[in-house]
Amino acid sequence: MYRTIPLWYKILDMETTEQTAFTSMPRIGDKAPDFEAITTTGRIKLSDFARDKWILLFSHPADFTPVCTTEMSGFAQRKKEFDALNTELLGLSIDSVHSHLGWVSNVREKTGVYFDFPIIADLDMKISKLYGMLQPNESETAAVRAVFFIDPKKKIRLIMYYPLNVGRNMDEILRALEALQISDKYKVAMPLDWKKGDKVIVPPPKTLQEMEARMKDDSIELVDFYLAKKELEL
Ligand code: BEZ
């Protein structure tokens, strides 16, 4: 009797641990959970992939579906803009690599657009669950449309989740990526609808002395001490 109690306890504990591990929901600021995967360009390990670069890890619900085809085409057609932002694309869906290859070559044949970035074949759903891409009340078998912006230190910096029936906005993905990078470089924040070339927000003062200096600074557009904008020379 005494022996069976710890054994059952152990099994229950293992199940709990496993469930937690496989239905995690990474958050902004977390280290991107590491994984190994089979992709259309070979095996990858996230921690070794695209060193010193940003990574855009994005899921789509299924190959050979209309909205996904438009989205993946969007990523492929704007790949040069991602290259210019030192960013590697990494797609994912719960389909086999053979399905991915068939879809990639079909889209290329029909439209001339080539998805030459890696697409993960997440058939066992491990990565989808690890990244909270599988949201069972939306679908139990298809990943939602997620985008994880991962910086060169492999930290998650921005997350987007879209449902199955609404495609993402490529301008917004690029805008957000550029905003993150410029914010990091110049230690500023971006206001509503910011786009490259617009004024940026100067961090608020932390001391009375900084506040006094801020009020006398002619080089910034000042609404009050807590809201000030300036031009950036990019
Ligand atoms: C689509 O990409 O068109 C799609 C995929 C899964 C469910 C609904 C739409």
Side-chain angles (χ1 to χ4, degrees), residues 61-62 65-69 71 142 145 164-165:
T65 53
V67 179
C68 297
T69 304
E71 288 190 313
R145 302 177 194 281
L164 301 191
N165 56 350

Side-chain angles (χ1 to χ4, degrees), residues 3-15:
R3 282 200 181 140
T4 56
I5 292 169
L7 186 64
W8 275 107
Y9 181 80
K10 200 165 179 226
I11 290 166
L12 285 172
D13 190 45
M14 272 169 59
E15 281 175 356

